Amino acid sequence: MTFLAILILLIAHYFSGSGLLYLFRVKLKPAMQITLSIICGIVILSLVPLFLELAFIPLTLTSIAAGIAVICVLLNLTKLANIKSVLSDSKWRFPSIKAYEIPFFVLFSIMFFSSLWRSFYLPSNARDMLSGPEVIADYAVKEHSLINSVLTVNLESTNNHLKPPFILGLQVIYKFFGIEFGGVWVGFMSVCFCIFLYNVLREKMHGVIAGLLLLLFIALPEVYAYSYMMLFDYSNMVLYFLGVYFMLRYFKSGLQSEIYFSAVLFGFSTIIRLETLVLIAMMVPLLWLYSYQKKAAIKNVVLQSFAIMAVSGFFYFLWMNIFLNYYMPGLITVESQLNKNLIDLSPLFKRFSEMNSELLFGRLEEPLWAHFIKVFLAVMVLDLVISRKMSRESLNWLYALAVVYFGLPILGYLLPLMDLNNTTKRALFKLMPIALLLMANTGILIKLSAKLLDWENGNEENRVGR
Amino acid sequence: MKSTRPLLLAVLSLVIILMFFRVELYKTWFRDRVFGPIENISEQLTYMDPHERRMARLQNSYFISYNVAEYLRTNKKDSNALILLPPTDYMKESGVDFMVPEPAVFYLYTGMKSVAANNKGADKTNFAIVPQQGANLQVIELNDQNRPQILAQFRKYIKTN
């Protein structure tokens, strides 16, 4: 029964996400389309318990299942209306796998299996979960409401019950479906993301190099730990990266739908961690720069910028100003979380310095990131020495990297509760896939990929990727 | 010749993977964090009960909390007890391996309400978990006479910012 419940939820994630992708006319390779649909579907369904609560509908298995069904149908209405063209467009064929990809795929499968099993089997032991989403979800199942007896317990030692509804919603759903510790969605999220990321790398890289790059990413010790352990940061990294990826994709394709889809993905990352809003705001100038260079119509730029901030702002507003204000009143105010002395910039410099000296390049570098940062820096320096220039796309990824690198100390300065060794450390996850894509856009790796492909094809073709 | 090249590249992939895991950091990580847990699966399959899985994962923090609640429910017939939780540092000093959960987590484990000695309502608690000689624990009933002494003892171990 448990397996069947997991399968039903996985299918529901896929259908809801796939409907969203269709609405935004996102068309990718099947492996990317499926994994991105599941990732989006995980976030979409996480909102079901919140919307039921907002509508004062008691949380039961029936109401949750009906909510999921309604969301799936609503998101797929357009698709259903055009079912003939959808079916004729979808010529499914099994993706071709090259022999040299097999060793990596076998290895990745072992890693994915390890993550999936543990995300299912192990109960959460993270304090942030146990004293927040986990306990509220547990009692939501018993008491049919997110506002339950947990709020009558002494909560002086924690603010975790006020954290955004992403994990809470998913845990409620999975527990209602009979999956005792929820959690399996973490495994789905990480596996889907790695498959998606591999395919993104394959757009530019030869399979051998893409495999090695993904291996470097999966073998980030701290990040891998959260591929099965429930917490906000892995999912936040995934959705933020996807937001950046589709923004930069728009810069290449010029397709309006991609920048609006990027806005939705950024919004999803905000509902996972609200402070991401600041980083998203810092990404908007890149859009302005692109639009200026392309001499885009000002009306379009304003609309796009507004969409990016409005979707994220909506999710922020929904939780902070609606739910916490009217449904769980008096528990938190934004003002109480903010730095009261913004004139004093010393905490900003201190955080920036500690982030570098402790987390990125200091004693914690190897335990957290293994040799990833060293490899990244080596590739970048080599590229600067050999290629001596960066492509427009590389510069865009560099900008995205700088947003996280400089944005996190700013967040630490604005929000004193965002400490170095927990919040900032895990927020640094967002740097990693961006750094990976920056490497994948370096001249030296692109040339190496092209040479490998030429050799593989006996110089018959000059094309990179499949 | 062309058809054998992907196979040669497959050998290259294998060599790269082998070299990758020759690096001590990655070798240890893979053994401890990826393959080790897979080896445990056959044993884990014999312990599928949620209570057993919680005990294995959360250890004494869960096990002791659970037993305290069971004791109160069966022996004291008191499901509405308000329990005074000891500070973890006090437990450590008394030689008891008990990472004391915070009240919200204790509620998750047991369904019973609790407070720490520095929390509001500590003066209304009716049971306390206290260490005994020999690194054991005891649940004692609180009254107006013994509560202030126990609170004072617990508060010695609570760090104030």
Side-chain angles (χ1 to χ4, degrees):
Chain A
M1 276 307 281
T2 307
F3 179 74
L4 184 66
I6 292 173
L7 191 66
I8 289 170
L9 286 171
L10 183 61
I11 292 169
H13 289 315
Y14 170 73
F15 272 107
S16 54
S18 148
L20 184 79
L21 262 61
Y22 186 81
L23 287 175
F24 284 90
R25 294 181 210 136
V26 177
K27 279 187 186 163
L28 304 161
K29 288 197 307 191
M32 293 171 88
Q33 191 87 8
I34 293 169
T35 50
L36 184 62
S37 296
I38 294 173
I39 291 170
C40 289
I42 290 172
V43 188
I44 292 166
L45 295 194
S46 77
L47 296 168
V48 169
L50 177 69
F51 286 132
L52 291 174
E53 191 76 44
L54 286 168
F56 302 105
I57 297 170
L59 304 178
T60 60
L61 178 59
T62 314
S63 67
I64 294 270
I68 290 173
V70 168
I71 292 271
C72 285
V73 170
L74 284 178
L75 285 169
N76 283 284
L77 275 179
T78 326
K79 204 174 182 179
L80 290 169
N82 300 312
I83 193 74
K84 274 187 184 169
S85 69
V86 172
L87 288 175
S88 64
D89 280 357
S90 55
K91 288 167 193 144
W92 177 262
R93 57 190 171 88
F94 197 78
S96 62
I97 296 171
K98 305 274 186 183
Y100 47 80
E101 291 180 306
I102 293 172
F104 283 108
F105 286 0
V106 171
L107 179 66
F108 295 151
S109 302
I110 294 169
M111 292 164 163
F112 294 162
F113 177 66
S114 187
S115 290
L116 280 170
W117 171 254
R118 278 182 286 178
S119 67
F120 162 73
Y121 183 81
L122 299 177
S124 174
N125 66 349
R127 184 208 165 229
D128 285 11
M129 290 296 102
L130 295 175
S131 62
E134 186 64 15
V135 64
I136 296 181
D138 219 60
Y139 281 87
V141 174
K142 291 170 189 158
E143 300 171 14
H144 309 293
S145 173
L146 298 179
I147 300 150
N148 53 49
S149 62
V150 175
L151 298 177
T152 66
V153 175
N154 188 294
L155 297 168
E156 286 173 59
S157 58
T158 179
N159 64 356
N160 290 323
H161 54 293
L162 305 172
K163 297 240 169 103
F166 170 69
I167 293 182
L168 171 61
L170 287 165
Q171 286 300 93
V172 168
I173 292 171
Y174 275 71
K175 280 170 191 271
F176 264 120
F177 273 75
I179 302 145
E180 187 73 26
F181 302 131
V184 198
W185 57 267
V186 183
F188 291 153
M189 175 77 85
S190 62
V191 169
C192 287
F193 180 60
C194 289
I195 296 173
F196 184 88
L197 199 52
Y198 178 77
N199 282 280
V200 172
L201 291 170
R202 281 295 270 132
E203 287 173 346
K204 292 254 160 120
M205 298 281 105
H206 186 274
V208 175
I209 299 174
L212 177 60
L213 286 177
L214 189 71
L215 180 57
L216 268 171
F217 175 77
I218 299 180
L220 284 161
E222 186 70 3
V223 180
Y224 183 75
Y226 291 94
S227 70
Y228 55 88
M229 223 157 55
M230 227 186 338
L231 221 56
F232 298 94
D233 307 271
Y234 195 101
S235 309
N236 180 242
M237 166 194 80
V238 170
L239 272 303
Y240 182 78
F241 170 82
L242 292 172
V244 173
Y245 173 74
F246 274 92
M247 182 187 258
L248 269 51
R249 220 179 131 90
Y250 161 69
F251 293 165
K252 279 194 293 181
S253 70
L255 287 172
Q256 294 287 326
S257 58
E258 290 193 332
I259 190 70
Y260 290 112
F261 186 59
S262 158
V264 172
L265 294 166
F266 278 137
F268 286 170
S269 71
T270 305
I271 197 67
I272 299 171
R273 284 204 75 100
L274 296 179
E275 71 272 13
T276 316
L277 190 63
V278 175
L279 301 182
I280 294 164
M282 290 169 74
M283 281 301 294
V284 174
L286 187 62
L287 174 68
W288 295 340
L289 197 64
Y290 161 83
S291 306
Y292 174 75
Q293 285 166 342
K294 288 277 168 185
K295 296 184 174 53
I298 291 187
K299 193 183 95 181
N300 272 353
V301 184
V302 171
L303 266 176
Q304 291 164 351
S305 310
F306 176 76
I308 289 172
M309 291 318 294
V311 180
S312 295
F314 165 75
F315 284 122
Y316 180 93
F317 184 79
L318 182 69
W319 183 248
M320 288 301 287
N321 297 67
I322 305 281
F323 196 77
L324 290 188
N325 214 14
Y326 293 108
Y327 289 73
M328 290 166 80
L331 293 174
I332 194 170
T333 58
V334 180
E335 295 76 31
S336 67
Q337 309 284 301
L338 284 174
N339 181 0
K340 304 279 184 298
N341 186 13
L342 288 172
I343 297 165
D344 178 14
L345 291 175
S346 59
L348 173 66
F349 298 119
K350 185 167 181 266
R351 175 57 54 88
F352 183 70
S353 153
E354 285 175 343
M355 187 180 88
N356 285 294
S357 63
E358 286 277 309
L359 302 178
L360 289 173
F361 307 106
R363 65 185 173 89
L364 291 174
E365 185 204 332
E366 286 190 357
L368 296 176
W369 325 112
H371 297 305
F372 184 89
I373 294 175
K374 289 188 195 86
V375 172
F376 168 71
L377 290 176
V379 170
M380 296 310 294
V381 169
L382 259 177
D383 189 53
L384 275 180
V385 172
I386 297 170
S387 305
R388 295 191 181 190
K389 62 173 183 178
M390 290 180 90
S391 67
R392 175 63 52 81
E393 197 173 353
S394 293
L395 287 170
N396 289 340
W397 282 109
L398 186 65
Y399 180 93
L401 190 90
V403 163
V404 180
Y405 182 69
F406 294 108
L408 293 184
I410 293 172
L411 278 171
Y413 155 74
L414 292 173
L415 305 163
L417 276 177
M418 190 171 162
D419 68 352
L420 179 77
N421 288 322
N422 295 294
T423 323
T424 304
K425 177 186 79 179
R426 291 193 295 262
L428 281 170
F429 290 1
K430 286 190 277 289
L431 271 185
M432 304 304 155
I434 294 175
L436 200 70
L437 262 288
L438 189 48
M439 276 197 272
N441 277 288
T442 51
I444 49 165
L445 289 190
I446 289 174
K447 275 178 199 156
L448 186 61
S449 279
K451 280 189 176 164
L452 275 174
L453 194 71
D454 283 349
W455 182 79
E456 180 193 340
N457 294 333
N459 287 324
E460 285 165 21
E461 280 182 52
N462 221 0
R463 181 173 49 86
V464 177
R466 282 176 295 183
Chain B
M1 193 62 199
K2 183 187 165 190
S3 60
T4 60
R5 288 185 175 182
L7 289 175
L8 288 172
L9 285 169
V11 175
L12 177 67
S13 294
L14 261 177
V15 170
I16 287 173
I17 291 169
L18 290 174
M19 280 172 64
F20 187 86
F21 289 111
R22 290 272 295 173
V23 178
E24 193 56 37
L25 199 62
Y26 289 119
K27 190 165 96 183
T28 316
W29 169 79
F30 188 77
R31 191 189 58 217
D32 296 347
R33 302 288 166 197
V34 181
F35 203 69
I38 292 177
E39 285 183 319
N40 292 338
I41 291 177
S42 58
E43 192 193 341
Q44 287 172 341
L45 283 169
T46 60
Y47 296 103
M48 290 303 286
D49 177 62
H51 178 59
E52 291 172 332
R53 283 151 71 185
R54 279 199 182 99
M55 279 207 293
R57 177 76 163 162
L58 305 160
Q59 303 189 341
N60 268 353
S61 182
Y62 170 73
F63 183 63
I64 292 174
S65 306
Y66 180 84
N67 283 337
V68 165
E70 282 299 292
Y71 169 78
L72 288 172
R73 282 195 185 102
T74 52
N75 292 40
K76 299 288 176 183
K77 310 284 180 209
D78 193 346
S79 300
N80 297 312
L82 182 60
I83 301 154
L84 179 64
L85 297 172
T88 299
D89 285 348
Y90 183 34
M91 294 289 101
K92 267 186 205 159
E93 197 179 289
S94 310
V96 183
D97 175 23
F98 180 31
M99 174 77 102
V100 183
E102 55 194 305
V105 182
F106 191 82
Y107 192 60
L108 171 70
Y109 293 166
T110 66
M112 284 191 164
K113 291 184 182 172
S114 62
V115 290
N118 59 334
N119 289 160
K120 282 176 201 158
D123 53 348
K124 293 189 178 69
T125 47
N126 49 3
F127 290 95
I129 304 168
V130 292
Q132 256 189 333
Q133 274 190 339
N136 288 322
L137 283 174
Q138 190 186 10
V139 180
I140 59 163
E141 207 155 349
L142 295 179
N143 53 44
D144 290 342
Q145 277 73 49
N146 64 1
R147 190 185 298 108
Q149 293 164 6
I150 291 173
L151 276 173
Q153 177 68 11
F154 282 10
R155 282 172 183 156
K156 279 189 212 166
Y157 293 87
I158 293 173
K159 292 169 195 131
T160 49
N161 294 323

